[in-house]
Amino acid sequence: MTAHPAEPRFPSPMAVPHRLTGARRPRPGEPLWIVHGPGVDDEVVGEDLRVRDVEELLWEVLHAAGYQRIVFSAYRQPVYFRDARSRELTRSGGRAAAPRRPRAMRRFAGPLGDRMLVSAPARPAERPAATASDPSRLQMLDALMAQHDVPTAVVVPNAETLVHNIQPDMRRPFAEMVGRWTAGRSGAGNVCVLLFSQPEFADVVQFVRDQRYLPRFADRLAALGAQRGGPAVGRLGLPDEDELSRLVHAVRLRHRLRIADWTALDHLTRVMAAQEFGVRTWRAALRRMAEPLSVAALRRMELVQVDVPDTSDLWRRLDAMVGMGAVKDFLAVHRHVLRAGAALRERGLGAAAEPTALHLVFTGNPGTGKTVVARMVAEFYRDLGLLRRANVVEAGVEDLVSPYPGETARLTTAAVRRALDGVLFIDEAYRLTEDPSGQGQQAVDVLLTEMENHRDRLAVIIAGYPDRIADFLAANPGLASRFPQGNRLVFADFTPEELHEILLRQLDGLGLARTPELVAALRTITAALHRTRSADFGNARTMRELAAEIMREWARRTRPAPGGELAPATPEDIPEQYRPLLAEARPLEVVLSELDELVGLDQVKNTLREIAAVLELRKLQGGGAVVAPHMLFLGSPGTGKTTVARLMGRAFASLGLLYKGHVVVATRADLVGRYVGETAPKTRAKVLEALDGVLFIDEAYELAGRGHNDFGPEAVSELMTLMETHRGRLVVVAAGYPEAMDRFLRDNDGLHSRFTEQLHFTDYTVGELRSIFLSMMAARGYEVEPTVPARAVRWLEADRDRMARERRAFGNARTVRNLVDGVERRLATRLLRLPEEQRLTGSRLIRAQDVPDPVT
């Protein structure tokens, strides 16, 4: 047996580094204390600047906890001690040893007084090397743990070596001994401290389970790990910045290490902490360093494998970012909250309160800075001492979910392990629960478990579109509890001015000069992009892509050569796909003049001119946002509703109320699905097609419910939601017969408030039908004989009377178009009967015989 006297010179809190997380000492009443992690094979640096091995650290912790006898048992050393008292208590069977007296003989005197020289005792025979299966070792440890009179701690370094090398004939006794200890059948208060080098406690459990002969012990370990916070499990990781700073000072004082720049010492230790080396490695490197210590010197020694940015200007960099005022305010407050919690805990206050959650939710459209800010969050979490590293692991659904059974848990666990001591950033996290195979939900379950197991080593940030993230969190109470409402941050789209500034900064970054004309044109483009943005608008990402394309066009136009003069970028370098955003709208009067060319529709023309005038007035007054109204077009078929809708779209574009002003015509078949879940997507698709223009819904009353299983009302509900969501970017025109539309509006109160304008399209008079017929013939390049119009009017009147008798709607201009088609067919048939030389001369003249007789 070997004694290692090492009485502590300082109280144990000075020896325990912050990297010992979880249980930092044995739990009262628990016979096991598990310490695991890469640090169990390392050294530690206490606050007293002393470098200790882990055994000395544990001795001090156990001694301070009141254990009078601390016994160590390694694979090659069955029993040894690090202090004389533990050795004596073991030799005496738990009783204090009697004080030793000098060897002397009574009534004896000699040259040395009463002392006598005797020959040295014979050396005992060398004991064979101990093995893990030494029965005497097991008996002695079991006896020590069973004693009640002396508080005893048995420490087993490299426990996996001991457990793995137990010989088959000793495995049952060993398992029974461990079973007695874990069941509490040991001395009151005694504890067994097991050290495992596995980085994660789950690996420790799996290692013990793989040994096969310790199933109950593996179950006991799993139960310990499942307890909230793992109260009997401590993890000793790699050194953090504070501990490495103490190491630097210890080496500096003892070995005259020189520091190149004292102001950069914080950054230096931050770089050291990111390299995943232990104290033993760093101490050896610092002791042999011949030049002043600096990051460059460490890099020359090939000790810097991970670059770490200097975060001294982290908040200055954040402030310099364009826009994102709400994000900046949130992060500033979040930092103060975290600091306040740490300050309270230092004073022993708020110990019962849950620590402030590190997990965050980022919602917003693409390109709003979520990933950039996630990296900054990792940096300031590290600067606050909440995380050891500032690494960010970006994981998509494909990185977490596998189609193969059992593989998803492994992928998710692996992603978490890569992110430990840093941030796991999951974009579009809601896709996990949208996975139809159910594998995504398994990934969520594993993620929740890992977040709980590593609550002091991991920050998870989930990101995505606001509505879908809200549904994702609402679907799982476990997720909602780990992402509190105060930790949810909305990234708003950049304003047009912010987009323009971002674009100019991107061009500056490319080194590209530009003319004032290009700057003005780009301002127009960014304003148009912002106004017409969809849910997947790329924000800053789109600006970055636009800048790169401008650079490409400039290079193709100017063909710059090294050493030559560099011309600035001009509007000529704007990519082709962005040029339509610069197109000027046609003047309103030009558009309205086209309305005057239409036959009839006097009431419609007057109403549209009034609407246009009011909107123009509001724009001049500058009283806020001006939005084009949704409208009802009421009238029979063929009265010009679709034609007027197209003119109206162009008019609103001329007023600047719609960017495109195009018209998308839809019917019930385009909006209503045939089965559950199909209607809303179809309606959304049609609305997105019509964005920045007009959605014209013909015979809109057909959307009314036709029975219990009809999906028309669902389309109406979705449409009203989208009308509000895209307010200012969409005009919906609902058209149909007046009576049917009136019933349709009465069935849904929300429709009345959304359609604020009504235009009534009356049937055309006989004179108007005659004018429409002549204009259509002229549009096709025909001339008509004087008797043709009268024959056409008689045919149209007869058709109207027939429709009335049959209780069917007269087609108005649509019927006129059908008549013109019929006239053209009769003309073609007549010409075929003429000689070839007469066909050409008569091919553009409509005669009375080409007009069909009235159908009665």
Side-chain angles (χ1 to χ4, degrees):
M1 294 184 292
T2 306
H4 301 275
E7 295 294 340
R9 292 179 290 169
F10 298 91
S12 64
M14 299 191 73
V16 180
H18 290 138
R19 56 170 155 154
L20 178 57
T21 57
R24 297 170 65 85
R25 63 181 58 209
R27 177 188 179 193
E30 174 60 56
L32 290 178
W33 180 29
I34 310 298
V35 180
H36 70 94
V40 299
D41 298 321
D42 194 21
E43 298 172 332
V44 298
V45 185
E47 294 182 12
D48 53 3
L49 301 188
R50 281 186 58 208
V51 180
R52 300 166 170 83
D53 60 29
V54 173
E55 290 185 13
E56 183 177 354
L57 163 68
L58 293 175
W59 187 94
E60 294 194 22
V61 171
L62 294 167
H63 184 72
Y67 291 94
Q68 299 176 22
R69 177 169 52 198
I70 304 170
V71 183
F72 293 83
S73 179
Y75 175 58
R76 293 297 183 185
Q77 275 185 292
V79 176
Y80 62 97
F81 310 91
R82 297 190 69 97
D83 67 290
R85 179 165 176 77
S86 294
R87 180 188 59 207
E88 295 300 333
L89 285 173
T90 302
R91 284 180 171 177
S92 62
R95 298 181 299 275
R100 299 182 62 182
R101 298 179 60 186
R103 301 178 68 177
M105 291 184 63
R106 298 180 64 183
R107 302 184 183 92
F108 174 82
L112 298 179
D114 61 354
R115 295 181 178 273
M116 178 186 299
L117 287 177
V118 297
S119 60
R123 291 175 60 88
E126 289 291 335
R127 181 176 178 178
T131 67
S133 299
D134 188 350
S136 61
R137 175 213 300 265
L138 302 186
Q139 294 172 4
M140 185 171 187
L141 295 181
D142 197 19
L144 291 174
M145 284 290 290
Q147 290 182 6
H148 292 267
D149 49 352
V150 178
T152 300
V154 174
V155 182
V156 182
N158 298 319
E160 55 263 78
T161 304
L162 180 66
V163 171
H164 181 69
N165 288 283
I166 293 289
Q167 296 298 323
D169 60 332
M170 295 301 298
R171 288 184 174 181
R172 182 172 180 178
F174 182 78
E176 291 175 349
M177 179 183 72
V178 174
R180 288 193 297 273
W181 295 356
T182 56
R185 295 198 297 271
S186 58
N190 293 345
V191 67
C192 178
V193 184
L194 299 176
L195 275 64
F196 292 89
S197 60
Q198 275 83 359
E200 307 304 328
F201 185 66
D203 299 331
V204 174
V205 177
Q206 189 59 46
F207 168 79
V208 174
R209 200 175 297 282
D210 289 343
Q211 304 312 304
R212 302 294 181 89
Y213 70 95
L214 294 169
R216 293 184 180 177
F217 184 44
D219 292 341
R220 177 59 178 156
L221 292 180
L224 288 178
Q227 296 180 34
R228 189 170 181 81
V233 179
R235 183 183 187 277
L236 190 60
L238 293 172
D240 58 12
E241 297 172 38
D242 290 340
E243 189 173 353
L244 289 173
S245 178
R246 294 196 295 269
L247 175 64
V248 168
H249 288 298
V251 178
R252 178 180 64 84
L253 294 173
R254 295 183 177 92
H255 303 283
R256 297 184 180 181
L257 175 68
R258 293 171 294 163
I259 308 297
D261 183 359
W262 284 93
T263 62
L265 188 57
D266 287 346
H267 178 60
L268 173 68
T269 55
R270 187 170 299 133
V271 172
M272 293 172 64
Q275 305 312 312
E276 300 292 307
F277 295 143
V279 165
R280 183 174 284 111
T281 299
W282 283 119
R283 184 160 72 118
L286 295 177
R287 290 180 63 177
R288 70 173 184 268
M289 182 165 288
E291 59 179 307
L293 178 61
S294 66
V295 175
L298 295 177
R299 189 171 282 112
R300 282 190 286 273
M301 296 178 69
E302 298 183 352
L303 291 171
V304 177
Q305 301 171 353
V306 179
D307 288 326
V308 178
D310 188 349
T311 57
S312 58
D313 62 343
L314 171 62
W315 294 97
R316 194 180 307 114
R317 283 190 284 127
L318 182 62
D319 290 338
M321 294 177 69
V322 176
M324 299 200 300
V327 174
K328 296 171 183 177
D329 292 342
F330 171 85
L331 292 180
V333 172
H334 194 54
R335 176 175 60 164
H336 295 318
V337 170
L338 293 170
R339 280 181 169 172
L344 291 171
R345 287 191 295 274
E346 283 182 359
R347 292 164 174 78
L349 303 174
E354 284 283 333
T356 303
L358 302 183
H359 310 305
L360 300 172
V361 176
F362 290 175
T363 59
N365 288 333
T368 48
K370 298 186 292 295
T371 305
V372 174
V373 173
R375 296 192 183 107
M376 291 186 166
V377 166
E379 291 182 37
F380 90 74
Y381 276 177
R382 180 193 59 197
D383 293 347
L384 291 173
L386 301 171
L387 295 174
R388 198 175 64 83
R389 297 189 295 162
N391 64 307
V392 177
V393 173
E394 299 179 32
V397 173
E398 295 77 11
D399 301 311
L400 306 176
V401 176
S402 170
Y404 305 106
E407 185 71 7
T408 293
R410 188 192 66 79
L411 288 176
T412 305
T413 302
V416 170
R417 299 290 173 82
R418 292 196 303 271
L420 284 179
D421 302 312
V423 171
L424 177 62
F425 181 78
I426 307 176
D427 200 9
E428 297 184 330
Y430 38 74
R431 289 176 54 202
L432 292 172
T433 53
E434 295 172 357
D435 177 24
S437 69
Q439 293 293 318
Q441 184 58 52
Q442 182 183 1
V444 171
D445 295 339
V446 173
L447 181 63
L448 290 173
T449 300
E450 294 291 333
M451 290 169 68
E452 184 62 28
N453 291 343
H454 305 290
R455 56 191 310 182
D456 57 345
R457 298 186 58 203
L458 178 69
V460 176
I461 299 178
I462 60 174
Y465 295 113
D467 293 343
R468 295 174 72 182
I469 283 286
D471 294 341
F472 174 62
L473 294 174
N476 192 314
L479 281 170
S481 65
R482 285 164 177 80
F483 296 94
Q485 193 66 43
N487 283 22
R488 303 178 188 181
L489 177 58
V490 177
F491 286 69
D493 284 344
F494 290 104
T495 65
E497 294 76 15
E498 291 168 349
L499 290 173
H500 187 246
E501 184 178 351
I502 292 171
L503 178 57
L504 297 184
R505 288 191 182 188
Q506 290 290 333
L507 293 174
D508 287 338
L510 295 172
L512 192 59
R514 60 262 177 189
T515 63
E517 293 79 11
L518 176 60
V519 173
L522 294 180
R523 187 180 298 279
T524 301
I525 288 175
T526 52
L529 286 172
H530 181 270
R531 182 171 181 179
T532 61
R533 68 193 189 280
S534 60
D536 57 353
F537 175 59
N539 285 281
R541 188 183 307 166
T542 299
M543 298 301 100
R544 183 169 59 251
E545 294 169 354
L546 175 55
E549 292 178 29
I550 291 173
M551 177 79 171
R552 184 180 183 86
E553 294 295 326
W554 169 82
R556 183 168 61 179
R557 178 179 63 84
T558 63
R559 300 181 180 180
E565 185 177 353
L566 297 178
T570 69
E572 296 179 65
D573 302 317
I574 295 174
E576 188 65 32
Q577 64 268 34
Y578 291 95
R579 292 186 177 277
L581 300 175
L582 295 170
E584 295 184 1
R586 300 172 66 191
L588 179 61
E589 286 303 321
V590 174
V591 177
L592 292 179
S593 66
E594 296 180 22
L595 183 66
D596 292 334
E597 296 175 2
L598 297 177
V599 175
L601 304 178
D602 292 337
Q603 186 265 340
V604 172
K605 296 174 183 177
N606 293 334
T607 302
L608 280 180
R609 284 188 174 278
E610 291 173 358
I611 293 173
V614 171
L615 295 175
E616 183 72 22
L617 174 64
R618 290 177 183 170
K619 286 184 61 179
L620 292 173
Q621 292 172 342
V626 181
V627 178
H630 303 296
M631 310 180 77
L632 293 175
F633 283 8
L634 307 177
S636 300
T639 49
K641 297 187 290 297
T642 305
T643 302
V644 171
R646 290 195 174 94
L647 289 174
M648 186 187 68
R650 295 205 291 271
F652 288 158
S654 298
L655 289 170
L657 302 179
L658 293 175
Y659 164 60
K660 297 178 181 178
H662 65 298
V663 175
V664 173
V665 179
T667 62
R668 173 187 167 90
D670 300 309
L671 304 177
V672 179
R674 293 167 296 176
Y675 51 83
V676 175
E678 185 185 18
T679 296
K682 290 187 69 171
T683 304
R684 281 196 297 269
K686 218 58 180 171
V687 167
L688 292 177
E689 183 184 349
L691 273 185
D692 305 304
V694 177
L695 177 62
F696 183 86
I697 306 176
D698 200 11
E699 297 181 343
Y701 49 80
E702 292 288 341
L703 296 177
R706 298 176 175 176
H708 179 68
N709 294 323
D710 185 74
F711 301 120
E714 181 185 351
V716 174
S717 177
E718 182 71 15
L719 179 64
M720 288 193 295
T721 300
L722 294 171
M723 289 166 67
E724 193 63 31
T725 301
H726 300 292
R727 186 173 181 269
R729 294 191 59 196
L730 176 71
V731 171
V732 176
V733 174
Y737 293 110
E739 298 81 5
M741 289 297 294
D742 184 60
R743 291 193 299 272
F744 175 58
L745 293 177
R746 286 200 304 268
D747 289 342
N748 195 315
D749 295 333
L751 290 173
H752 272 291
S753 62
R754 284 170 173 79
F755 292 96
T756 56
E757 298 289 344
Q758 293 188 12
L759 295 183
H760 294 270
F761 291 72
T762 58
D763 288 346
Y764 288 111
T765 64
V766 172
E768 292 169 344
L769 292 173
R770 181 179 185 278
S771 298
I772 292 172
F773 174 80
L774 292 176
S775 66
M776 286 184 178
M777 297 304 303
R780 298 190 185 189
Y782 292 114
E783 296 179 1
V784 298
E785 288 184 341
T787 57
V788 167
R791 282 184 59 84
V793 167
R794 284 196 298 273
W795 186 94
L796 291 169
E797 287 179 329
D799 189 75
R800 174 179 283 173
D801 293 342
R802 180 171 61 85
M803 290 292 140
R805 289 194 304 271
E806 296 176 3
R807 298 183 181 276
R808 294 163 59 194
F810 177 63
N812 289 283
R814 193 176 300 168
T815 300
V816 176
R817 185 178 300 109
N818 293 337
L819 174 62
V820 170
D821 291 340
V823 170
E824 195 172 39
R825 285 193 300 271
R826 291 171 67 89
L827 168 64
T829 302
R830 178 172 60 81
L831 290 176
L832 287 177
R833 294 196 296 267
L834 296 176
E836 186 172 350
E837 63 275 8
Q838 298 180 14
R839 293 177 188 175
L840 181 61
T841 58
S843 63
R844 291 290 178 181
L845 179 63
I846 303 296
R847 300 183 183 278
Q849 64 195 83
D850 297 327
V851 179
D853 294 330
V855 179
T856 59

